Amino acid sequence: MRIGMAFGDVRGPAPVPEITRQIQEAAAGGVGSAWVTHGVGWDALTTLAVAGPAAPGVELGTAVVPFPQRHPLVLAKQALTVQAAVGNRLTLGIGAGIARMVSTMYGLPTDRPARRMREYLEVLRPLLRGEVVEHHGETYTAVGSLDLPGTEAPSVLLAALGPAMLKVAGELADGTITWMTGPQTLSKHVVPSITHAAGGRNPRVVAGVGVCLTSAEDAVRARFAEQFALAGQVPEYRAMLDREGAAGPADVLVVGDETSIAKQLDRFRDAGATDLMLAPIGTPDEQARTAEFLLAAERRRSGTAVAPGRGM
């Protein structure tokens, strides 16, 4: 199981230079991948174009860019531009977005999300490969091609939770990225569904997990429950919490001391996750302490000796 770390909105507001510093120090500390989350703050792709060059050798991913607001020609051009900026290290994570936000903020349709995603990927992936596209479909029209020298088509992961979207992810993407999804739901629902849809391929399953190293577990969970209360009411996440038997987002948070956290993370590996996207949460001090612990644990696991940074 590969270990990555999350940056950006999920960890709270921070200026781009600070996010760049966090990613740079995490890379120096031995993290294998850096994922910038995309919420109501900074644009994830643009942030990676700025921060990515400061972290050579590390996979850079978006988790995740909502597709409804970006025509596939626009997203393909932006993704390949980022590829050029970061030396072809981008993994493009995309998703349908939270339906309530997409409809309220942008006035865009949110019906048939899996059908729209299927058609979107049928257009996006050839464009990323530099192929000519002439598509006149049910939900998209796209005519054109992109010739951006020195760029390679990025791997594409899909935020998929429900059965229909997991089927699309298995058939047309390289895997999935989850958030607020516990190990029981991964092992019984996400992993078998996407693996079946992928046929003979081995899809990537990147499990996003909030983590906090602390001796005040109850207080941390209470704060997280308050901060992410609205997310727990979103139908897309609520369905996954119900599958897990969780009352709210705080119940799928990984919290505790060093030994407890290690055991909890092992459950995601046993559930079939190929990657962890670890998001240190809490106060700046809690995040720094958690990040240093996670990086030290990863260095021990991989047998590398890298001096820790000032805290990610």
Side-chain angles (χ1 to χ4, degrees):
M1 184 171 64
R2 296 180 290 269
I3 303 298
M5 194 168 288
F7 305 87
D9 283 1
V10 72
R11 292 172 59 170
V16 169
E18 173 60 15
I19 296 173
T20 301
R21 185 195 68 78
Q22 292 174 353
I23 293 175
Q24 183 179 28
E25 292 195 355
V31 75
S33 55
W35 304 86
V36 173
T37 59
H38 188 106
V40 296
W42 302 114
D43 178 82
L45 278 167
T46 308
T47 302
L48 282 178
V50 173
V58 173
E59 177 189 15
L60 304 166
T62 56
V64 295
V65 175
F67 79 85
Q69 302 94 299
R70 309 187 196 208
H71 188 278
L73 271 165
V74 173
L75 182 57
K77 180 180 292 189
Q78 188 178 14
L80 290 175
T81 300
V82 175
Q83 277 286 59
V86 301
N88 292 312
R89 290 181 287 131
L90 174 68
T91 293
L92 181 62
I94 65 173
I98 301 302
R100 192 179 304 168
M101 292 176 64
V102 172
S103 61
T104 301
M105 295 176 66
Y106 298 95
L108 295 171
T110 58
D111 62 307
R112 301 173 297 160
R115 175 68 190 93
R116 292 178 185 278
M117 177 62 83
R118 178 176 293 277
E119 189 172 341
Y120 194 93
L121 288 171
E122 289 170 348
V123 175
L124 177 69
R125 301 215 70 174
L127 287 171
L128 291 172
R129 295 191 294 265
E131 299 171 12
V132 176
V133 168
E134 186 167 348
H135 179 88
H136 302 274
E138 181 182 354
T139 59
Y140 286 100
T141 295
V143 179
S145 63
L146 298 171
D147 181 15
L148 300 178
T151 60
E152 300 173 2
S155 175
V156 177
L157 302 179
L158 174 59
L161 298 175
M165 199 67 84
L166 283 166
K167 187 172 189 295
V168 174
E171 292 175 355
L172 298 179
D174 298 306
T176 185
I177 303 176
T178 67
W179 176 247
M180 253 187 273
T181 302
Q184 177 175 293
T185 303
L186 285 167
S187 65
K188 295 183 178 180
H189 169 59
V190 173
V191 173
S193 296
I194 193 172
T195 301
H196 177 74
R201 296 183 298 113
N202 294 316
R204 197 171 174 187
V205 178
V206 181
V209 187
V211 186
C212 186
L213 176 65
T214 181
S215 59
E217 180 176 336
D218 290 344
V220 169
R221 288 192 188 277
R223 270 191 277 125
F224 191 80
E226 182 178 355
Q227 292 168 357
F228 285 82
L230 290 178
Q233 299 172 23
V234 170
E236 295 92 332
Y237 293 137
R238 186 65 258 171
M240 296 303 101
L241 293 171
D242 289 343
R243 283 182 180 271
E244 195 70 17
D251 292 334
V252 292
L253 189 65
V254 173
V255 181
D257 62 18
E258 291 87 343
T259 301
S260 176
I261 287 177
K263 289 180 179 178
Q264 291 176 71
L265 294 181
D266 282 347
R267 293 185 62 203
F268 288 88
R269 177 200 61 207
D270 296 340
T274 62
D275 300 73
L276 282 179
M277 180 181 69
L278 304 176
I281 60 95
T283 66
D285 285 345
E286 288 170 333
Q287 290 193 26
R289 183 170 61 249
T290 302
E292 288 181 359
F293 159 69
L294 294 172
L295 290 174
E298 174 60 10
R299 289 195 297 273
R300 289 193 297 271
R301 186 195 67 83
S302 61
T304 59
V306 181
R310 291 182 289 121
M312 279 53 66

